[in-house]
Amino acid sequence: MSNHHVFGYASLIHEGIRNSLNLTGKAEIVEELPGVQRVWDPQIPGSKRARLNLKADKYAHTNGVVLQVDEAELRLLDGLNKGYARVHLEDHIHGKDNHPTFQRRGMSSTVWIYLPNGNMNPTNQGTAEPGKSAAAPDPNPIVQTYVDQVVIGALRLGGPHFAYHFVDATKGWHHPWVNNRTQSIPGAGEVDAVLERIVGKEFRKRTNLKS
């Protein structure tokens, strides 16, 4: 049996994504992982769109999924997550070992996460010389097709309550948001209902992609 597990907080929540990668290990819902905050990060190097990231926050919690993976699957994920580093989850949060999901499955020291640059510091802080203000680069937008992917994944994994929690536990919806959904997709109405309920103000301010 594999002694590796990966905590998925974005695309890996979607069963279709996991199946497309032939990740066949058991997926277990994590309702609340303490000590981390999921955020939209508009300036991840090498990306042209905002991506989901994590930052350490002892007052926050994040939901997601824990996947059991073998060595070959772990190497596959390493290759796919360009610009991300695989790190031990326990190195970045407090209380993981006492969390019932990890404790019950004996996951101590075996849960991995993929983070941009290998840390939980959002990359949209900007840098500047001492005494000078940083000129922040233009942020990459949140794109609707990515939102669709993760929210549908949350709905299929844990139902509406899990999806509401997923959206509500994600910060940064104020960033520029482009509606690039060019055709109807299965589940679009459900996604829109979740977004309207939790982040309705930002959802209604999306910019439609010009055809």
Side-chain angles (χ1 to χ4, degrees):
M1 179 179 290
S2 170
N3 63 346
H4 292 293
H5 298 83
V6 172
F7 177 67
Y9 59 91
S11 296
L12 286 179
I13 286 178
H14 197 300
E15 183 180 19
I17 297 296
R18 300 197 302 272
N19 290 342
S20 71
L21 298 174
N22 293 317
L23 300 177
T24 58
K26 183 177 180 180
E28 183 170 350
I29 289 175
V30 178
E31 292 283 359
E32 291 190 357
L33 179 66
V36 289
Q37 176 76 70
R38 183 170 39 236
V39 297
W40 283 108
D41 191 338
Q43 292 172 358
I44 291 178
S47 179
K48 295 183 179 180
R49 59 176 171 82
R51 303 285 294 273
L52 289 170
N53 195 356
L54 294 178
K55 70 174 184 178
D57 184 340
K58 65 180 180 180
Y59 299 110
H61 56 264
T62 297
N63 61 352
V65 63
V66 170
L67 309 175
Q68 187 179 55
V69 295
D70 60 26
E71 292 285 352
E73 291 168 331
L74 203 57
R75 290 194 296 272
L76 171 66
L77 290 171
D78 287 348
L80 292 173
N81 284 282
K82 300 297 185 183
Y84 285 65
R86 173 165 52 88
V87 297
H88 279 113
L89 179 59
E90 64 185 27
D91 292 340
H92 293 269
I93 66 170
H94 299 288
K96 178 192 78 68
D97 292 335
N98 295 321
H99 190 281
T101 295
F102 302 117
Q103 190 177 58
R104 181 172 65 253
R105 294 183 58 82
M107 295 180 184
S108 180
S109 302
T110 64
V111 183
W112 300 94
I113 48 173
Y114 287 90
L115 297 173
N117 305 314
N119 61 62
M120 284 194 181
N121 296 318
T123 57
N124 56 350
Q125 300 300 313
T127 58
E129 297 178 14
K132 295 184 179 180
S133 299
D138 292 335
N140 293 316
I142 299 169
V143 296
Q144 186 63 45
T145 50
Y146 183 43
V147 175
D148 289 341
Q149 182 184 91
V150 295
V151 176
I152 287 174
L155 282 163
R156 300 296 177 260
L157 180 68
H161 176 75
F162 188 83
Y164 294 148
H165 186 190
F166 182 94
V167 174
D168 190 47
T170 302
K171 303 306 178 186
W173 295 99
H174 63 279
H175 291 300
W177 186 348
V178 174
N179 180 16
N180 67 333
R181 188 196 289 161
T182 58
Q183 59 186 4
S184 179
I185 61 169
E190 296 174 86
V191 171
D192 291 351
V194 170
L195 296 172
E196 179 64 40
R197 175 170 174 171
I198 306 300
V199 289
K201 180 180 178 181
E202 292 83 0
F203 178 62
R204 292 188 293 273
K205 290 171 65 175
R206 295 174 304 164
T207 301
N208 288 320
L209 185 67
K210 296 180 180 179
S211 56

